[in-house]
Amino acid sequence: MNLNFLNESQKQAVLMTDGPVMILAGAGSGKTRTLVARIQYLLEEKNVSPFQILAVTFSNKAAREMRERLAHNTQMNVGALNVTTFHAFCAKVLRMEAVYLGLSKNFTIYDDGESQSIIKALLTKRGINHKELSPYTVATYIDGLKNLGHYLGLPRTPEVEKYAEDKRLFDLFMEYEAELHRSNAIDFGGLITGVLNLFRSFPEVLLKYQQKFKYVLVDEYQDTNRAQFELIQQLSHLHRNICVVGDEDQSIYSWRGADIRNILNYETVFPEAKLIKLEQNYRSSKKIIEAASEVISRNVARKGKQMWTNNDDGNEIRIVECRDDKAEAEFVGQEIRKLHQDGVSLKDVAVFYRNNAHSRTIEDALRKEKFPYRVVAGIKFYDRKEVKDMISYMRIVVNKKDSLALTRVINTPARGVGATSLRKLEDEAVRIGVSLFELLEKIVEIPSDFKHLSLSGKVQSAIYQLVHLIQEVQVLEFQNHSPSFSYEKLLNESGYYDVLRADKSYEGAARLENLEELMSAIKQFEDSEGTPNLTKFLEAITLDTTVTEENSTDLISLMTVHGSKGLEYPYVFLIGVEENIFPSYKSLELGPVALEEERRLFYVAMTRAMKQLTITFAQGRLLWGSLKFNGPSQFLHEIPSKFYKWDFFQTGSKKAHFDNFRSFDDFDQSPSNSDESVFYKEKVYQTKRPASTNSNYPSGAKIIHALYGEGTVLDSEGMGQDEKVTIQFRDGMKKKFMVKFAPLQKV
């Protein structure tokens, strides 16, 4: 086998086949090429049977690519080769050995949705309200335990003991596992812990697999969790021919359970291990590689590599300071236009952002420039579920005949109007010739006329609340209140915000960020429109988002930095590089370990660029509809000045977000994504004023509500913007209002 296509370090990684080996493969260093060559060498030169090799990685795509390269490079039949993912391998083992664990071979593998259904049932059985303890919180807790490799019957490690301190959650974990077993089912994380349990409980089964696999190889080793580490350690214990390939500087998935200690402490577990470093970069220009190396060298948790390249010096990194986020998007759009005019294909351009929500301004700018684009491993902003849900609420406000929008949100969030009840309502609306919302209004006005529908009390109450919410916002629209005010009221009083806030998962946080960005979109619309209202806003975004895209592969790629790992583009724009955004506020709160992971993420972003890296930040950015002055990221100051050129870009827009605000020192600069921040407080960019200590609507006060008429305040709680009042109206109806949103007037 000719290895002349490899450099010296890569050759060493291929030829050193026996004993534990760690290959530290830096960004763009030809990792996959080396790993494929190593497997090919084992097959062709060492005459190892394909049945004796196990190669595991993290995605089906990566496993498929490795198999395809091997099939192309070797004449041997690689169909017998085990190139697979951790979870697929474990599922295969458990199917073969299910009887040992009291399972049948046709056991079910539950996905996340099915797992949460079980958790919800357990909470209901215990009488625990889902708002008190979110099913997502329980699911995250269980996932955390399984990432550590814990299963029922296993002695507790100190880390598991910390989990067990929360007795209620630990009891739920045990109940959940018992329920899975009764259902002849395993969840995704349980595939790994199930095999660990099998190997620990039945040493003869473990020995069989140890004898079978003489060589074990692990790709993307920095992404393994403790359970996966334990698995490969056990499998390779007999022959000790374990080869792991990874890069501690690209360990960016701790939130998914990845444990960087696996790579940092490898030699502790395998003291005879040989370390090989792949340090030559084939992807990027010298200036990009050297700048990225300077940044990552500040991390303490690393094995240490010095990346280098024979590529050209290349252009300086551009750091561009923009007036605000709108100017930032405008700048990116203009720069891509210049590149395209110079003959650069759109597929060679990518825009990265720290959070999914930040795609919105870039998408707006690209549509304005009429550039086709794709959101890699994600959904376009206005196509995201939570965004479409809130837009549907607004559509009902401006057009009560929009039954499609109402069908989408009538039970979002869940309020008891299930499919059966909805079908009854739709059939009745057709029968009497009105829209669905007009029917709901009639049910609220004269409920006795619709007794034949046999709607439960819960459904009737849900209809009552939804109708009055929409009608109240319609009054606000009639009174020319701002669209952002109406949006706040819909988001708050529909219960949608509370449901997402209770969801402590990574996905839940991302959905909240998208709703935050929708508020910023509305605020930006208000800035640019003389007489803004919901109708005009909905029209503007509908016209923007229905621009026909050409059916082409020549598309600009938009993605989060996490989504960019493993990819490369000649021209990269990295936006929103500000304190509290990148690094995130949470990482700054959690301390040095979390901050180092953010720096690794920044390093990953930098090393995706081949020819030109452009980094942007905004002096002021709209977050939750309020302006924040975060300042440039500390990571920018870690790039030596010889590698970058710092530019300024001022928007040509007539009105900037902060033209009418007072001096910088008058502003509250608290981070927008703080867990303590509350969406419904006027918390930023106002002149400081003392809070009122007296209720504006004390008990006994007479008021007039724009929709319900005269009434009397029965009770009041809170103060200022947080004040809530309970009012009894003349017809005897009692309602509770948040003063900020209610169209109230004192008599």
Side-chain angles (χ1 to χ4, degrees):
M1 178 181 174
N2 191 338
L3 298 179
N4 289 337
F5 65 97
L6 301 174
N7 65 36
E8 289 307 310
S9 295
Q10 291 171 337
K11 285 180 185 177
Q12 188 183 10
V14 169
L15 297 173
M16 200 174 287
T17 56
D18 296 329
V21 176
M22 172 182 280
I23 302 172
L24 283 184
S29 62
K31 167 181 71 74
T32 304
R33 175 175 56 186
T34 305
L35 191 55
V36 168
R38 183 181 173 92
I39 296 173
Q40 186 180 350
Y41 182 81
L42 286 171
L43 293 169
E44 295 181 354
E45 301 299 326
K46 301 281 286 186
N47 295 317
V48 177
S49 165
F51 292 102
Q52 293 181 306
I53 299 173
L54 172 65
V56 289
T57 187
F58 278 83
S59 69
N60 290 318
K61 179 183 176 184
R64 185 168 57 250
E65 181 186 352
M66 206 179 298
R67 282 195 298 268
E68 288 171 354
R69 288 202 193 188
L70 282 165
H72 181 267
N73 292 348
T74 181
Q75 298 302 312
M76 299 185 68
N77 184 353
V78 296
L81 194 66
N82 286 282
V83 180
T84 184
T85 65
F86 274 102
H87 292 93
F89 169 74
C90 288
K92 187 176 180 180
V93 170
L94 290 175
R95 294 279 183 212
M96 295 288 293
E97 318 293 349
V99 64
Y100 286 96
L101 296 180
L103 295 168
S104 68
K105 289 191 176 184
N106 64 338
F107 64 81
T108 303
I109 300 173
Y110 281 171
D111 61 22
D112 290 343
E114 291 162 331
S115 295
Q116 286 198 26
S117 295
I118 291 182
I119 292 169
K120 288 174 182 176
L122 290 176
L123 291 174
T124 302
K125 179 182 172 183
R126 284 179 161 229
I128 300 173
N129 189 295
H130 293 183
K131 290 184 179 179
E132 175 194 347
L133 181 59
S134 164
Y136 297 101
T137 301
V138 181
T140 301
Y141 177 90
I142 291 172
D143 197 43
L145 275 170
K146 293 191 175 186
N147 286 338
L148 291 173
H150 188 69
Y151 49 86
L152 294 184
L154 183 70
R156 298 178 189 175
T157 65
E159 286 176 299
V160 172
E161 283 292 353
K162 288 183 180 178
Y163 271 78
E165 287 174 4
D166 192 324
K167 190 174 185 308
R168 181 168 69 163
L169 282 174
F170 197 79
D171 286 350
L172 281 166
F173 161 71
M174 291 191 289
E175 280 189 55
Y176 170 82
E177 289 292 277
E179 181 60 34
L180 284 183
H181 194 75
R182 280 193 293 271
S183 303
N184 190 39
I186 295 178
D187 66 9
F188 208 57
L191 291 170
I192 311 288
T193 56
V195 172
L196 291 179
N197 187 7
L198 175 71
F199 287 171
R200 176 177 174 269
S201 303
F202 303 95
E204 68 276 18
V205 177
L206 171 59
L207 181 61
K208 179 174 76 172
Y209 285 94
Q210 287 175 335
Q211 290 173 333
K212 178 177 182 179
F213 296 116
K214 188 175 180 181
Y215 291 91
V216 178
L217 301 93
V218 184
D219 190 18
E220 301 290 0
Y221 181 63
Q222 75 281 347
D223 295 335
T224 54
N225 58 35
R226 298 306 288 180
Q228 291 159 341
F229 174 73
E230 177 70 18
L231 176 67
I232 61 174
Q233 184 184 359
Q234 290 193 29
L235 283 170
S236 60
H237 185 72
L238 180 64
H239 296 292
R240 306 290 283 182
N241 296 325
I242 170 73
C243 173
V244 299
V245 185
D247 182 6
E248 81 281 16
D249 292 335
Q250 296 185 72
S251 178
I252 57 174
Y253 293 114
S254 66
W255 48 276
R256 286 200 318 217
D259 195 328
I260 195 173
R261 292 176 300 175
N262 292 351
I263 202 166
L264 295 177
N265 300 333
Y266 185 75
E267 292 95 335
T268 304
V269 179
F270 299 99
E272 74 274 35
K274 303 174 185 72
L275 179 65
I276 302 168
K277 298 181 181 181
L278 305 186
E279 298 174 302
Q280 182 176 358
N281 178 281
Y282 292 92
R283 175 188 299 151
S284 307
S285 68
K286 273 184 184 172
K287 285 184 178 174
I288 291 173
I289 286 302
E290 290 178 10
S293 296
E294 288 284 348
V295 171
I296 200 62
S297 68
R298 294 173 179 259
N299 271 9
V300 174
R302 64 193 302 257
K303 306 290 285 187
K305 296 181 302 299
Q306 188 58 50
M307 297 302 295
W308 61 277
T309 183
N310 280 329
N311 294 341
D312 295 338
D313 282 355
N315 299 323
E316 293 173 315
I317 295 169
R318 291 186 69 189
I319 297 176
V320 183
E321 181 175 346
C322 302
R323 180 176 174 83
D324 56 18
D325 48 331
K326 192 173 182 181
E328 178 183 60
E330 187 179 328
F331 165 77
V332 172
Q334 289 181 10
E335 289 300 301
I336 294 175
R337 169 69 62 192
K338 291 176 187 175
L339 289 171
H340 195 49
Q341 288 171 346
D342 289 341
V344 174
S345 296
L346 297 181
K347 70 180 187 312
D348 290 337
V349 180
V351 183
F352 301 161
Y353 31 81
R354 176 62 181 83
N355 301 313
N356 255 312
H358 292 152
S359 76
R360 198 268 309 172
T361 54
I362 296 298
E363 290 187 56
D364 289 349
L366 295 182
R367 284 194 299 269
K368 183 179 177 182
E369 293 281 353
K370 294 187 169 43
F371 278 137
Y373 66 90
R374 62 178 182 141
V375 178
V376 178
I379 302 170
K380 291 182 178 181
F381 182 79
Y382 288 107
D383 290 339
R384 293 169 192 165
K385 179 187 182 302
E386 57 279 5
V387 174
K388 294 191 79 159
D389 287 344
M390 289 313 304
I391 287 173
S392 293
Y393 272 107
M394 291 184 268
R395 281 170 51 187
I396 300 164
V397 170
V398 302
N399 175 18
K400 65 181 182 181
K401 292 184 180 294
D402 191 340
S403 295
L404 184 63
L406 181 57
T407 300
R408 183 181 182 95
V409 301
I410 194 169
N411 201 41
T412 305
R415 39 174 81 92
V417 186
T420 303
S421 298
L422 179 57
R423 178 61 60 85
K424 285 183 186 178
L425 295 168
E426 288 174 330
D427 290 346
E428 182 70 7
V430 171
R431 187 183 73 79
I432 65 177
V434 297
S435 72
L436 185 57
F437 187 75
E438 288 169 332
L439 171 66
L440 300 189
E441 287 183 311
K442 290 179 181 295
I443 291 174
V444 169
E445 290 168 11
I446 316 173
S448 58
D449 287 357
F450 299 93
K451 285 184 178 178
H452 61 282
L453 295 178
S454 302
L455 299 173
S456 68
K458 184 176 183 180
V459 170
Q460 290 184 57
S461 175
I463 291 172
Y464 178 91
Q465 292 173 19
L466 180 60
V467 166
H468 284 296
L469 172 60
I470 299 300
Q471 289 176 339
E472 287 169 18
V473 180
Q474 287 171 336
V475 170
L476 295 178
E477 275 289 282
F478 179 76
Q479 295 175 340
N480 296 319
H481 282 270
S482 66
S484 56
F485 188 84
S486 296
Y487 170 73
E488 270 193 299
K489 181 177 175 71
L490 287 168
L491 184 56
N492 180 36
E493 298 191 3
S494 66
Y496 203 112
Y497 178 77
D498 288 338
V499 168
L500 287 186
R501 192 172 178 81
D503 176 0
K504 301 301 182 183
S505 68
Y506 183 83
E507 180 188 349
R511 291 172 69 189
L512 271 182
E513 287 168 355
N514 286 329
L515 294 182
E516 165 188 338
E517 189 59 29
L518 180 57
M519 168 60 90
S520 296
I522 297 171
K523 287 279 192 179
Q524 286 184 343
F525 168 77
E526 291 171 357
D527 283 349
S528 60
E529 174 64 40
T531 54
N533 57 42
L534 282 180
T535 302
K536 290 180 180 178
F537 172 71
L538 293 172
E539 181 178 298
I541 63 170
T542 302
L543 292 176
D544 271 351
T545 54
T546 53
V547 174
T548 303
E549 291 184 358
E550 57 191 82
N551 186 16
S552 168
T553 56
D554 194 24
L555 305 171
I556 299 164
S557 297
L558 311 185
M559 68 197 77
T560 64
V561 181
H562 279 101
S564 74
K565 187 170 174 292
L567 303 176
E568 59 184 33
Y569 297 90
Y571 300 90
V572 168
F573 293 85
L574 175 59
I575 68 167
V577 184
E578 299 151 28
E579 287 293 287
N580 301 317
I581 294 177
F582 200 0
S584 70
Y585 175 72
K586 215 166 248 185
S587 69
L588 294 173
E589 254 195 344
L590 292 174
V593 173
L595 183 61
E596 287 207 354
E597 179 156 334
E598 288 287 299
R599 187 176 287 109
R600 292 195 291 270
L601 190 59
F602 186 67
Y603 171 80
V604 165
M606 294 181 74
T607 54
R608 301 309 97 193
M610 301 166 71
K611 292 183 178 180
Q612 179 66 62
L613 172 62
T614 303
I615 303 173
T616 66
F617 73 93
Q619 293 172 351
R621 182 176 300 274
L622 274 180
L623 297 168
W624 278 126
S626 301
L627 197 67
K628 294 288 185 180
F629 294 95
N630 290 310
S633 167
Q634 59 186 279
F635 298 150
L636 295 184
H637 301 299
E638 295 174 1
I639 302 173
S641 59
K642 63 182 178 180
F643 295 122
Y644 67 76
K645 179 183 178 185
W646 193 296
D647 292 327
F648 296 85
F649 179 78
Q650 300 293 341
T651 178
S653 304
K654 293 179 181 178
K655 185 177 182 182
H657 301 316
F658 46 91
D659 285 346
N660 300 318
F661 289 112
R662 296 188 61 188
S663 72
F664 187 85
D665 291 336
D666 287 334
F667 301 144
D668 170 8
Q669 299 169 60
S670 57
S672 66
N673 54 346
S674 164
D675 288 340
E676 286 73 41
S677 68
V678 181
F679 181 88
Y680 303 101
K681 291 181 181 176
E682 291 185 8
K683 59 185 181 298
V684 290
Y685 302 123
Q686 300 186 62
T687 305
K688 301 290 197 238
R689 60 176 183 271
S692 170
T693 55
N694 298 316
S695 168
N696 290 321
Y697 296 92
S699 179
K702 303 294 182 184
I703 58 90
I704 294 179
H705 188 283
L707 189 63
Y708 307 121
E710 292 185 18
T712 303
V713 176
L714 298 180
D715 186 38
S716 172
E717 58 184 270
M719 61 183 67
Q721 293 296 318
D722 294 330
E723 185 175 1
K724 296 177 183 177
V725 291
T726 303
I727 299 172
Q728 181 166 19
F729 294 96
R730 281 188 168 180
D731 62 0
M733 175 178 62
K734 293 180 183 177
K735 278 188 72 71
K736 193 170 187 176
F737 300 96
M738 202 165 187
V739 168
K740 176 180 178 180
F741 299 124
L744 300 176
Q745 183 180 347
K746 285 184 182 177
V747 176

